[in-house]
Amino acid sequence: MAAITLDSEMTDMKNSPGPDAVFAAKLAEGVFEIQKCGACGAHVFHPRVICPTCGSADLEWVAPTGRGTIYARTVVRRKPERGGDYNVVLVDLEEGVRMMSRVDGMAHDEIAAGLKVSASVGEGADGGPAVIFQPEGGVS
Amino acid sequence: MSLRGKAAIVGAALAGCGEAHGKSAMEITVEAVHGALADAGVSLGDVDAIATCQPLDMLSGLTLAQELGLNPKFTMNNRMGGSSFLSHTLWAAMLLELRLADTVLICYGSNQRTASGKLMTALGLPTYEAPYKPMFPLSSYALAADRHMTQFGTTREQLADVAVSARAWAQKNPEAFIRDPLTREDVIASRLVSDPLRVRDCCLVTDGGGAIVMRRAETAKDHPRPPVYLLGGGEGTTHRDISEMPDLTVTGAAQSGALAMGMAGVKPADIDVVQLYDAFTINVILFLEDLGFCKKGEGGAFVENGGIAPGGHLPVNTNGGGLSCVHPGMYGIFTLVEAVRQLRGDAGDRQIAGAELALAHGNGGVLSSQVTNILGTESTL
């Protein structure tokens, strides 16, 4: 790993919102973007100040393909009167980063590691915007 | 310079395990401290360094100093979760070896069962997980179990056998909280909570506290009970949130175990008795693999059919573990106390004959922090 040098990017950082706020603002407009490191080329999620692969602060926002593969899934079991069962998954995006999400449009028990999925911006459990996945090729 | 054998546990005690009605977390902690000091034959005023971690009190180290009426030279209050106490022993050994302190107290207590009946935590869901409402911390471990089953073919029955083994040990421990018989079928028929984990895959919710006293090896034999020496220790921290764990089938125990065993100069086959932080059944399978007791992916087969139960090929969690003995939110200190009891020959019906080398392993967060200690009798120095 190369030594870290403070460059113009660092000066810019001082006067702009942090990456969490940028991500949230984009999501609120229906846009899902992740970061890409200008120094080593690694994609980064969750949003960070410096690249966890090489330490560079040269991170730019890019649109992912939205395609991913389920890495693991669980189903939280809830009684119907408390809202019923729901799934929670970890998705590996094509860009090489992983994120937690939920798969809509498929029976919970059919969702399994290896399933190909694609992203869209939907609604999270708290009512706010969230990245949600559907089975690739549409709802089954 | 190595810390191997430079410091020893000279006192250990539990307090309030199970249900401790009408007591606060700090009161249970101090009861354990009182017991450990008596066990060590050390007066309160001799304690010059303290360590604790209590989930609801950000400044719990300060609270502890206040409760004990101490003005310590060092107050350790790291917040790595349930593994904290196994990190405290390493820091204690460093302070003792550098003669920055002479008597170190490490302690914990919780009243979560009688106070709330469930896990009490100040932690909220992480920003990038909250929109999906995973159960904290259960769904994180469920995802790890799901991945292990997918990748290695680990079975539902093998997960169940971890809980069954813990219960079999608990039946030999009069202090264990639940000692009723438990079968593989019982576990598999228990309520599904977050697939694939069921109620009986989950640790207990109890009250309880524990404390240990550490001193330099050179004075360790001046105390009433046989010293238990810290031969090695190591840590690993791979993430905080499960969505950031690089590989859900490989924990930081791979690093912490290698560091600890390297310092101690031992290998897994040398260890007589093992105490692992079993918050959920999958933990035990992951840690046995990562610590080198079996190959990656073979943990399920290792625990199957009583492999880690009384009479099995490796005694694991001889007190009944967090699954059947005690789990007040952070279990780490209990791995140390049970290791001490085994190495002193104090473990009654569950005693491993001739135990000289013990491994105690703590887990913090959601498989996030892993800390391993290797402990031994005088014969292992």
Side-chain angles (χ1 to χ4, degrees), chain B residues 79-109:
Chain B
R79 311 203 69 81
M80 293 150 53
S83 57
S84 298
F85 313 93
L86 293 102
S87 177
H88 291 151
T89 60
L90 282 171
W91 288 102
M94 288 183 245
L95 293 178
L96 292 167
E97 175 64 8
L98 293 171
R99 297 183 181 271
L100 296 172
D102 295 322
T103 305
V104 186
L105 173 68
I106 301 168
C107 58
Y108 168 79

Side-chain angles (χ1 to χ4, degrees), chain B residues 12-185:
Chain B
L14 301 178
C17 292
E19 294 183 346
H21 292 279
K23 291 176 182 174
S24 72
M26 190 50 72
E27 287 167 349
I28 295 168
T29 305
V30 175
E31 284 186 19
V33 167
H34 189 252
L37 291 172
D39 187 58
V42 166
S43 55
L44 178 60
D46 290 337
V47 173
D48 58 359
I50 61 172
T52 192
C53 177
Q54 312 228 347
L56 299 185
D57 179 0
M58 178 69 186
L59 303 180
S60 55
L62 313 188
T63 310
L64 179 65
Q66 173 174 283
E67 286 304 304
L68 298 177
L70 293 173
N71 177 9
K73 293 173 186 164
F74 291 91
T75 298
M76 294 176 276
N77 194 178
N78 72 9
R79 311 203 69 81
M80 293 150 53
S83 57
S84 298
F85 313 93
L86 293 102
S87 177
H88 291 151
T89 60
L90 282 171
W91 288 102
M94 288 183 245
L95 293 178
L96 292 167
E97 175 64 8
L98 293 171
R99 297 183 181 271
L100 296 172
D102 295 322
T103 305
V104 186
L105 173 68
I106 301 168
C107 58
Y108 168 79
S110 163
N111 65 346
Q112 68 169 10
R113 183 180 179 85
T114 51
S116 84
K118 60 183 182 185
L119 175 69
M120 292 165 73
T121 175
L123 299 175
L125 284 175
T127 303
Y128 294 95
E129 297 187 359
Y132 314 105
K133 216 166 54 169
M135 293 179 72
F136 179 84
L138 200 154
S139 292
S140 296
Y141 291 89
L143 287 163
D146 178 74
R147 186 66 205 176
H148 206 276
M149 294 167 90
T150 297
Q151 199 162 323
F152 301 116
T154 304
T155 67
R156 184 47 273 189
E157 288 74 17
Q158 290 168 337
L159 288 172
D161 283 3
V162 173
V164 171
S165 298
R167 184 62 57 83
W169 283 112
Q171 290 181 314
K172 292 173 168 289
N173 178 7
E175 292 177 288
F177 189 63
I178 300 190
R179 304 179 69 202
D180 305 332
L182 182 73
T183 66
R184 180 191 275 184
E185 291 69 31

